[in-house]
Amino acid sequence: MKNKTSASPLLWTARILVGLLFIFSGLVKINDPLGFSYKLEEYFEVFHITFLNGFALSISIILCSLEIILGFALLIGVRAVSVAWGLLLLIIFFAFLTFYSAYFQVVQTCGCFGDAIPLTPWQSFSKDVVLLLLIIVIFKNRRDIKPLFSAKTSDNLLIASVVMSVGFGLYTYNFSPVVDFLAYKVGANIPEEMATPPGAKPDEYEITYNLKNKKTGETKTMTNTEYMKTGIWKDNNWEVVQGKSESRLVKKGFTPKIRDLAIQDAQGNDYTKELVSNPYNNVIIVANDLAKADEEAIGRLNAMAINLAQNFNTRTVMLTSNSHQYTEAYAKQHKLMFEIFYADGVPLKTMVRANPGILLLKNGVVLGKWHYHSMPKYDDLVKKYFQQQ
């Protein structure tokens, strides 16, 4: 190890803070690269560049890996000038996105820390401003940053960080997040996550009314509190101008972790409560888009469903966001033997980061959750979950 240190304590402080935060930010996102790719697709839609949707996953893994690599390189002092430029350009890019999201209210969670630490756009922008100031310190003193190791060792460590970052992203994409921060994680009670506890306060909004006096033509603007307090609503000469009332959130209330799950059959009948509250072991196969689902995996799951139904009277259902017509034709073509229900694609993507993915529920509690690549063998599944019933 070289016995060299940066002369400025401020520079060292900035290096440590920025390096660790970039590594942490990259790790929590690359733990769930598919989830971050969904967030990128939201930005692509905002900026009308949806032709990039097909590259969202690749961009997700590259961006997350880049954060980890730059943060690690900064800490060990390798390639300091190039790293300083990379950090500056990246934080300017992130700050622009978070400011745009906050100011124009287009993407309400930026995904800076994935689902681990949800931040509002203004919180994210504030964080990026602080990081920008620290990175400016690093950039101005970039030539004073000395490596902690020899050139060869530093380059080898840098290469290792690249391989490990990209490899980790590919692994979590193919075998589910290592740490599950989603509402449907193993051990979660879905009905409880959907419920609002007694006494919980809802969101509080302030409504601004635009009023006009029918006799004089005079106009006024006042909040709903002022509207009721002044009693102006009793005066028939004043009327609310239609279409010009504005609502603003002033205090965030309680929000259930799961608030958008609605499961229906082909006729539109609601089956949400029945399916998520089943008192027995039941298998939920989640295929948010059957057109892109792994057909070999669907076949294996179909065989598993038949065996579970025959040997343990287990109910297996599939949830999809495809149309009834498409799903019916698909089920006929692949001779699917389980029930099929329908839900919006957003909650299905949140349930499990796989297409298809598998949930094992009992009394609404998630007992098991798998990517189709990591689904246990039938005998192992039976031994662990069904022979104990």
Side-chain angles (χ1 to χ4, degrees):
M1 179 181 290
K2 290 189 173 184
N3 188 22
K4 294 182 179 181
T5 58
S6 301
S8 169
L10 177 60
L11 178 57
W12 257 114
T13 301
R15 280 178 64 180
I16 293 171
L17 290 176
V18 172
L20 291 178
L21 193 58
F22 263 69
I23 291 172
F24 175 75
S25 175
L27 280 175
V28 294
K29 291 201 292 290
I30 208 166
N31 174 67
D32 182 13
L34 193 57
F36 187 53
S37 74
Y38 296 150
K39 188 61 59 178
L40 290 176
E41 288 176 2
E42 290 185 47
Y43 280 110
F44 294 159
E45 184 173 350
V46 168
F47 293 108
H48 307 292
I49 51 175
T50 52
F51 63 89
L52 289 176
N53 283 352
F55 304 97
L57 178 63
S58 299
I59 296 172
S60 169
I61 294 176
I62 291 170
L63 274 178
C64 298
S65 298
L66 191 58
E67 283 190 84
I68 297 170
I69 295 163
L70 289 175
F72 178 72
L74 179 65
L75 289 178
I76 66 173
V78 63
R79 312 273 178 172
V81 174
S82 299
V83 168
W85 273 106
L87 289 168
L88 183 63
L89 294 175
L90 204 57
I91 197 60
I92 290 173
F93 173 69
F94 287 153
F96 164 75
L97 286 183
T98 53
F99 174 77
Y100 194 95
S101 296
Y103 188 80
F104 293 102
Q105 299 182 356
V106 287
V107 180
Q108 291 307 295
T109 53
C110 72
C112 297
F113 296 122
D115 291 289
I117 308 176
L119 297 177
T120 66
W122 282 121
Q123 289 172 335
S124 300
F125 176 67
S126 300
K127 180 261 300 177
D128 287 341
V129 169
V130 173
L131 276 174
L132 177 60
L133 295 176
L134 291 172
I135 291 173
I136 288 174
V137 173
I138 293 168
F139 185 80
K140 290 180 66 176
N141 297 277
R142 60 191 181 278
R143 300 193 184 278
D144 295 330
I145 297 175
K146 306 300 179 184
L148 299 180
F149 305 96
S150 67
K152 183 177 180 180
T153 301
S154 295
D155 285 343
N156 287 338
L157 288 172
L158 185 61
I159 293 171
S161 71
V162 173
V163 173
M164 292 178 67
S165 299
V166 176
F168 185 65
L170 293 174
Y171 174 84
T172 51
Y173 167 66
N174 283 287
F175 296 96
S176 296
V178 174
V179 181
D180 193 348
F181 296 107
L182 301 173
Y184 298 89
K185 63 185 177 183
V186 174
N189 187 309
I190 295 178
E192 289 183 2
E193 301 287 14
M194 297 175 68
T196 299
K201 294 183 178 180
D203 292 344
E204 292 183 17
Y205 290 89
E206 180 183 80
I207 302 174
T208 300
Y209 294 120
N210 289 281
L211 306 173
K212 183 177 181 179
N213 191 298
K214 291 183 286 187
K215 283 188 175 181
T216 65
E218 181 187 356
T219 60
K220 285 185 179 182
T221 300
M222 59 177 59
T223 66
N224 55 316
T225 303
E226 295 170 330
Y227 181 76
M228 296 302 296
K229 187 176 181 180
T230 59
I232 197 172
W233 54 276
K234 299 177 182 177
D235 188 343
N236 292 329
N237 290 321
W238 287 96
E239 64 177 358
V240 177
V241 180
Q242 297 298 320
K244 291 194 175 183
S245 299
E246 298 178 1
S247 179
R248 181 176 67 90
L249 180 66
V250 294
K251 187 175 181 181
K252 187 68 178 175
F254 177 83
T255 302
K257 289 184 179 180
I258 300 174
R259 57 184 183 276
D260 54 358
L261 179 62
I263 302 171
Q264 300 176 331
D265 64 6
Q267 287 72 45
N269 301 307
D270 184 67
Y271 276 80
T272 310
K273 185 176 180 180
E274 176 180 329
L275 293 179
V276 302
S277 301
N278 191 325
Y280 306 102
N281 280 347
N282 61 304
V283 177
I284 307 291
I285 298 171
V286 181
N288 66 79
D289 186 356
L290 280 172
K292 298 178 181 179
D294 187 283
E295 292 189 2
E296 192 271 335
I298 293 290
R300 285 189 284 113
L301 292 172
N302 194 38
M304 178 198 71
I306 294 171
N307 288 330
L308 288 176
Q310 291 176 345
N311 298 324
F312 298 96
N313 196 30
T314 299
R315 186 179 191 182
T316 299
V317 303
M318 184 172 75
L319 305 182
T320 183
S321 62
N322 294 97
S323 68
H324 169 59
Q325 292 78 7
Y326 180 90
T327 304
E328 192 176 58
Y330 186 96
K332 185 177 181 180
Q333 177 186 353
H334 293 83
K335 299 180 174 59
L336 300 185
M337 301 303 293
F338 36 72
E339 301 171 84
I340 299 177
F341 294 89
Y342 302 86
D344 184 75
V346 173
L348 295 186
K349 289 178 180 179
T350 305
M351 276 186 172
V352 58
R353 302 300 200 202
N355 187 26
I358 306 96
L359 297 176
L360 177 64
L361 304 183
K362 184 177 183 179
N363 283 321
V365 177
V366 181
L367 300 181
K369 179 177 177 178
W370 301 276
H371 191 288
Y372 65 87
H373 282 155
S374 57
M375 180 67 186
K377 295 180 180 179
Y378 176 78
D379 290 341
D380 295 333
L381 188 71
V382 168
K383 184 177 180 181
K384 184 172 182 179
Y385 296 103
F386 290 88
Q387 289 182 346
Q388 301 175 6
Q389 291 191 99

